[in-house]
Amino acid sequence: MSKVKIKTIWFEGTEPSEVGVYLVALRHISGFGSYDYLYWDGKSWLNQTTSDIVGWSPVSDILAQLDAGWPTGDLETDLEFEEYRKQHSGKFSDDDFIEID
């Protein structure tokens, strides 16, 4: 699989203002750098490493650039959901799940 460049805006020297998962750039004691995903709880990074976090970027910004398809084993469920949505267009009950971005 070939690599694809994803436009990432790195925030440096600041902390996120919102709780969530972020792509982080880590600088390890050895000098080696790597990426990881870490959760920001609003006060601190939930990580178990002594590496320095030198930058972060919201995962939502990265996911917005991806079209990775969907696992084929779950496509039938996805089709059933779409059929349900079409049949009930605009009619929601308290049990319906609505995701807002």
Side-chain angles (χ1 to χ4, degrees):
M1 182 181 300
S2 62
K3 288 187 177 185
V4 176
K5 288 208 177 256
I6 296 175
K7 183 178 180 180
T8 305
I9 297 173
W10 289 104
F11 294 90
E12 302 175 51
T14 64
E15 295 175 336
S17 59
E18 297 183 24
V19 171
V21 177
Y22 294 85
L23 174 68
V24 296
L26 300 171
R27 180 64 60 196
H28 304 282
I29 294 171
S30 65
F32 177 72
S34 67
Y35 302 121
D36 203 349
Y37 294 99
L38 292 179
Y39 183 78
W40 173 257
D41 70 1
K43 296 179 183 175
S44 63
W45 295 104
L46 300 182
N47 64 345
Q48 308 225 345
T49 178
T50 57
S51 302
D52 291 329
I53 296 169
V54 297
W56 56 271
S57 184
V59 168
S60 59
D61 291 356
I62 296 165
L63 292 176
Q65 299 178 60
L66 300 178
D67 181 358
W70 197 255
T72 55
D74 190 56
L75 284 177
E76 185 175 328
T77 303
D78 200 40
L79 293 172
E80 290 171 2
F81 172 76
E82 284 300 316
E83 185 63 32
Y84 173 85
R85 189 182 64 78
K86 287 176 187 174
Q87 289 175 359
H88 298 88
S89 61
K91 302 172 192 167
F92 300 106
S93 73
D94 291 338
D95 294 331
D96 286 333
F97 172 81
I98 300 173
E99 184 175 354
I100 299 174
D101 187 26

